[in-house]
Amino acid sequence: MGGGGSTTSRNISMEEDPNTGMIKVSEDVLRRMLGEDLPAGFTDKKEELDPQQHKKIEERWRSRLHNVERKWQDRLRNIEDKYADSFEINTEEFKKAAEEVEAKFIQQSCTPVCETKQAEVLKCFNEHPNQILKCSQLVKDFTECVDRARTSIVTQKSLDS
């Protein structure tokens, strides 16, 4: 690949029109891009191409350019369609996963447990701010109540499953 093939050297010169932004290439380059063989002794001068040849080359070039543009537009449209399908599927999957998470965690209601015992502990702490050990039995009763409630809830959930 590329080791010892052609020894013909070719020069390519391009000129950009500052007003239109178009890049001008020589007729020789244009013919090579179109895959046409150059006539023997052809030099890269516009005077050697008659207007009809010039028009023919330009029409073929525009046709090929139009075909390439259409091909890329089709590819882009296909990619956009695939992206839209993928986006729709991902959106549906995300929505479904969010609903599952909500069903498992968010919609669970939490009912307070041992409210009276909690109120007694808080009242005791407020009444004896510097002597909290006086409230130790109430704290112990509250803790046991919470443990029983937790055990009851866990047992109920395991029976439901």
Side-chain angles (χ1 to χ4, degrees), residues 38-90:
L38 297 174
F42 178 80
T43 60
D44 192 16
K45 294 183 182 176
K46 288 184 182 178
E47 295 83 40
E48 293 191 26
L49 285 177
D50 64 30
Q52 195 171 25
Q53 285 177 319
H54 184 49
K55 186 176 182 181
K56 181 181 173 186
I57 291 172
E58 187 176 331
E59 286 174 3
R60 289 180 67 195
W61 178 248
R62 287 184 193 275
S63 173
R64 285 187 181 184
L65 190 60
H66 180 70
N67 289 340
V68 168
E69 185 176 352
R70 194 170 348 125
K71 179 179 166 184
W72 282 104
Q73 286 175 346
D74 290 343
R75 283 185 177 180
L76 180 61
R77 197 174 313 112
N78 288 340
I79 290 171
E80 287 174 344
D81 291 344
K82 286 179 184 179
Y83 175 76
D85 292 342
S86 176
F87 179 76
E88 188 175 317
I89 290 169
N90 288 340

Side-chain angles (χ1 to χ4, degrees), residues 7 12 89 91 154:
T7 58
I12 297 176
I89 290 169
T91 302
V154 170

